Amino acid sequence: MDQAQLLQRCQAGDELAWEVLVRTHQGRVCAIAWHYLGDQDEALDLAQDIFVRVYRSLDTCTEPDRFEHWLTRIVRNACIDKLRRRKARPPRQDIPADEMTSLASSAADPEQQWLSTSRQKLVHRGLQRLSDINREIIVLKDIQGLPLEEIATMLDLPLGTVKSRSSRARVELARAIVELEGGPAPSGPVGGGFGAEAVS
């Protein structure tokens, strides 16, 4: 069943089709949320809310071939809302590192495989060091593979700004990764090495 048929069946109220759609896209949704929020448990919780939004908005998705872009926009908006609410409330008390081992979630974790790769964890740590806008551009362009034109529309920025920001964001991320690995920060332009295969 292709994406168009699956979406059509979901819009018609087919519960089995909805389950297939959720299973197909839950890893993507959790990964985007995790990159935005920087907290795995929060990302998993938010993913549930996001799928409720998606279910309620299915009829507004009129272009099945652009479903993933439509979904990414919903995820991004939900994450931005969550971050705004987080800033509006007092920070939570830090939990000592030796207590973290008892906090494993009992829920199914669609991103466990993602987390198992040390290189991917390193890239994620590097992302948390970026400015909000640079992190967002890396997530949307290099991890989710959205075209620059789509990102410019989503972020309400000129295309030229997104292009220049994209280049600077990759350099900033590469420097953050080198620093996390314990090396000296590069003084000149930095190449890739953290493409979609390393961060998605």
Side-chain angles (χ1 to χ4, degrees):
M1 185 188 315
D2 63 23
Q3 183 67 64
Q5 292 173 318
L6 183 62
L7 183 58
Q8 186 176 28
R9 287 177 60 175
C10 288
Q11 290 170 333
D14 186 327
E15 293 184 8
L16 290 178
W18 171 248
E19 289 179 15
V20 171
L21 186 140
V22 171
R23 285 199 304 270
T24 300
H25 296 285
Q26 65 183 356
R28 178 188 183 91
V29 168
C30 288
I32 299 173
W34 188 53
H35 285 305
Y36 270 95
L37 303 178
D39 183 286
Q40 186 182 5
D41 290 334
E42 275 193 299
L44 290 169
D45 288 342
L46 185 61
Q48 297 179 33
D49 295 337
I50 287 168
F51 278 111
V52 171
R53 292 191 191 191
V54 170
Y55 187 79
R56 291 173 176 168
S57 306
L58 278 174
D59 289 342
T60 68
C61 183
T62 57
E63 299 178 79
D65 58 328
R66 293 180 57 79
F67 175 78
E68 289 190 353
H69 290 186
W70 178 83
L71 175 62
T72 299
R73 185 182 294 272
I74 290 177
V75 178
R76 175 189 179 265
N77 290 342
C79 290
I80 296 299
D81 289 346
K82 179 77 171 179
L83 289 170
R84 285 174 179 157
R85 290 196 300 272
R86 181 193 287 175
K87 289 177 181 177
R89 68 173 188 254
R92 294 175 298 182
Q93 182 177 357
D94 288 340
I95 300 173
D98 57 358
E99 294 181 17
M100 294 296 287
T101 55
S102 64
L103 296 180
S105 173
S106 59
D109 180 13
E111 289 306 292
Q112 194 58 48
Q113 186 174 0
W114 197 101
L115 288 167
S116 66
T117 304
S118 59
R119 181 65 176 173
Q120 293 167 335
K121 292 185 200 177
L122 182 63
V123 170
H124 178 71
R125 288 173 60 201
L127 281 169
Q128 300 314 304
R129 294 188 171 202
L130 305 190
S131 63
D132 290 345
I133 185 65
N134 284 357
R135 180 170 60 251
E136 192 162 16
I137 287 175
I138 289 285
V139 169
L140 296 174
K141 178 180 180 290
D142 295 296
I143 298 177
Q144 295 305 316
L146 294 185
L148 290 172
E149 294 80 5
E150 179 86 11
I151 296 170
T153 300
M154 195 176 291
L155 301 183
D156 194 25
L157 291 171
L159 180 58
T161 299
V162 173
K163 286 180 179 178
S164 61
R165 280 276 191 176
S166 175
S167 298
R168 288 201 300 270
R170 289 180 66 85
V171 170
E172 187 180 346
L173 177 56
R175 286 179 173 155
I177 289 171
V178 170
E179 290 173 3
L180 286 168
E181 289 178 323
S187 57
V190 182
F194 48 84
E197 72 281 355
V199 290
S200 62

mmCIF file of all heavy atoms in Angstrom, residues 40 63 67 80 85 88-89 92 123 134 174 179 191:
data_model
loop_
_atom_site.group_PDB
_atom_site.id
_atom_site.type_symbol
_atom_site.label_atom_id
_atom_site.label_comp_id
_atom_site.label_asym_id
_atom_site.label_seq_id
_atom_site.Cartn_x
_atom_site.Cartn_y
_atom_site.Cartn_z
ATOM 1 N N GLN A 40 14.965 12.689 25.793
ATOM 2 C CA GLN A 40 14.323 11.546 25.158
ATOM 3 C C GLN A 40 12.922 11.279 25.712
ATOM 4 O O GLN A 40 11.981 11.022 24.963
ATOM 5 C CB GLN A 40 15.196 10.306 25.326
ATOM 6 C CG GLN A 40 14.687 9.094 24.569
ATOM 7 C CD GLN A 40 15.545 7.874 24.789
ATOM 8 O OE1 GLN A 40 16.485 7.905 25.580
ATOM 9 N NE2 GLN A 40 15.236 6.807 24.102
ATOM 10 N N GLU A 63 -2.394 16.669 0.037
ATOM 11 C CA GLU A 63 -1.354 16.247 -0.909
ATOM 12 C C GLU A 63 -0.596 15.061 -0.317
ATOM 13 O O GLU A 63 0.402 15.237 0.390
ATOM 14 C CB GLU A 63 -0.378 17.394 -1.193
ATOM 15 C CG GLU A 63 -1.019 18.617 -1.812
ATOM 16 C CD GLU A 63 0.001 19.726 -2.030
ATOM 17 O OE1 GLU A 63 0.754 19.645 -3.027
ATOM 18 O OE2 GLU A 63 0.043 20.644 -1.199
ATOM 19 N N PHE A 67 3.072 14.225 2.419
ATOM 20 C CA PHE A 67 2.652 13.902 3.781
ATOM 21 C C PHE A 67 3.790 14.086 4.782
ATOM 22 O O PHE A 67 3.583 14.637 5.869
ATOM 23 C CB PHE A 67 2.127 12.469 3.874
ATOM 24 C CG PHE A 67 1.801 12.043 5.280
ATOM 25 C CD1 PHE A 67 0.619 12.461 5.883
ATOM 26 C CD2 PHE A 67 2.687 11.261 6.014
ATOM 27 C CE1 PHE A 67 0.313 12.091 7.193
ATOM 28 C CE2 PHE A 67 2.389 10.884 7.329
ATOM 29 C CZ PHE A 67 1.196 11.297 7.901
ATOM 30 N N ILE A 80 8.088 23.541 19.149
ATOM 31 C CA ILE A 80 8.244 24.960 19.479
ATOM 32 C C ILE A 80 7.292 25.340 20.611
ATOM 33 O O ILE A 80 7.667 26.058 21.552
ATOM 34 C CB ILE A 80 7.970 25.844 18.238
ATOM 35 C CG1 ILE A 80 9.009 25.576 17.139
ATOM 36 C CG2 ILE A 80 7.964 27.316 18.613
ATOM 37 C CD1 ILE A 80 10.435 25.860 17.519
ATOM 38 N N ARG A 85 6.598 26.634 26.413
ATOM 39 C CA ARG A 85 6.023 26.329 27.730
ATOM 40 C C ARG A 85 7.124 26.024 28.741
ATOM 41 O O ARG A 85 7.029 26.402 29.909
ATOM 42 C CB ARG A 85 5.057 25.148 27.634
ATOM 43 C CG ARG A 85 3.762 25.453 26.897
ATOM 44 C CD ARG A 85 2.706 24.397 27.162
ATOM 45 N NE ARG A 85 3.118 23.074 26.735
ATOM 46 C CZ ARG A 85 2.933 22.595 25.499
ATOM 47 N NH1 ARG A 85 2.347 23.348 24.584
ATOM 48 N NH2 ARG A 85 3.327 21.381 25.197
ATOM 49 N N ALA A 88 8.584 29.099 30.076
ATOM 50 C CA ALA A 88 7.651 29.879 30.893
ATOM 51 C C ALA A 88 7.514 29.339 32.307
ATOM 52 O O ALA A 88 6.931 29.985 33.167
ATOM 53 C CB ALA A 88 6.275 29.911 30.230
ATOM 54 N N ARG A 89 8.050 28.135 32.549
ATOM 55 C CA ARG A 89 7.946 27.571 33.897
ATOM 56 C C ARG A 89 9.335 27.438 34.505
ATOM 57 O O ARG A 89 10.324 27.397 33.794
ATOM 58 C CB ARG A 89 7.250 26.211 33.857
ATOM 59 C CG ARG A 89 8.028 25.113 33.173
ATOM 60 C CD ARG A 89 7.317 23.774 33.359
ATOM 61 N NE ARG A 89 8.142 22.681 32.879
ATOM 62 C CZ ARG A 89 7.921 22.021 31.751
ATOM 63 N NH1 ARG A 89 6.912 22.354 30.979
ATOM 64 N NH2 ARG A 89 8.710 21.027 31.393
ATOM 65 N N ARG A 92 13.275 22.426 36.121
ATOM 66 C CA ARG A 92 13.170 21.297 37.024
ATOM 67 C C ARG A 92 14.476 21.122 37.789
ATOM 68 O O ARG A 92 15.535 21.485 37.310
ATOM 69 C CB ARG A 92 12.875 20.011 36.244
ATOM 70 C CG ARG A 92 11.519 20.023 35.569
ATOM 71 C CD ARG A 92 11.337 18.797 34.716
ATOM 72 N NE ARG A 92 12.345 18.766 33.655
ATOM 73 C CZ ARG A 92 12.404 17.826 32.726
ATOM 74 N NH1 ARG A 92 11.545 16.835 32.735
ATOM 75 N NH2 ARG A 92 13.339 17.856 31.793
ATOM 76 N N VAL A 123 26.823 13.450 17.771
ATOM 77 C CA VAL A 123 26.238 14.478 16.918
ATOM 78 C C VAL A 123 25.092 15.175 17.657
ATOM 79 O O VAL A 123 24.960 16.400 17.609
ATOM 80 C CB VAL A 123 25.754 13.883 15.579
ATOM 81 C CG1 VAL A 123 24.941 14.907 14.801
ATOM 82 C CG2 VAL A 123 26.947 13.416 14.748
ATOM 83 N N ASN A 134 20.248 27.589 14.095
ATOM 84 C CA ASN A 134 21.189 26.709 13.404
ATOM 85 C C ASN A 134 20.862 25.242 13.655
ATOM 86 O O ASN A 134 20.954 24.412 12.751
ATOM 87 C CB ASN A 134 22.626 27.016 13.832
ATOM 88 C CG ASN A 134 23.144 28.292 13.186
ATOM 89 O OD1 ASN A 134 22.455 28.915 12.391
ATOM 90 N ND2 ASN A 134 24.357 28.681 13.530
ATOM 91 N N ALA A 174 30.271 20.948 13.211
ATOM 92 C CA ALA A 174 31.536 20.226 13.083
ATOM 93 C C ALA A 174 32.514 20.652 14.179
ATOM 94 O O ALA A 174 33.196 19.813 14.787
ATOM 95 C CB ALA A 174 32.142 20.474 11.703
ATOM 96 N N GLU A 179 35.291 19.540 19.398
ATOM 97 C CA GLU A 179 35.533 19.926 20.787
ATOM 98 C C GLU A 179 35.065 18.841 21.746
ATOM 99 O O GLU A 179 35.740 18.530 22.740
ATOM 100 C CB GLU A 179 34.844 21.254 21.097
ATOM 101 C CG GLU A 179 35.489 22.453 20.404
ATOM 102 C CD GLU A 179 34.685 23.731 20.584
ATOM 103 O OE1 GLU A 179 33.657 23.688 21.297
ATOM 104 O OE2 GLU A 179 35.079 24.767 20.016
ATOM 105 N N GLY A 191 34.695 20.579 6.906
ATOM 106 C CA GLY A 191 33.885 19.826 5.950
ATOM 107 C C GLY A 191 32.766 19.095 6.628
ATOM 108 O O GLY A 191 32.433 19.347 7.771
#
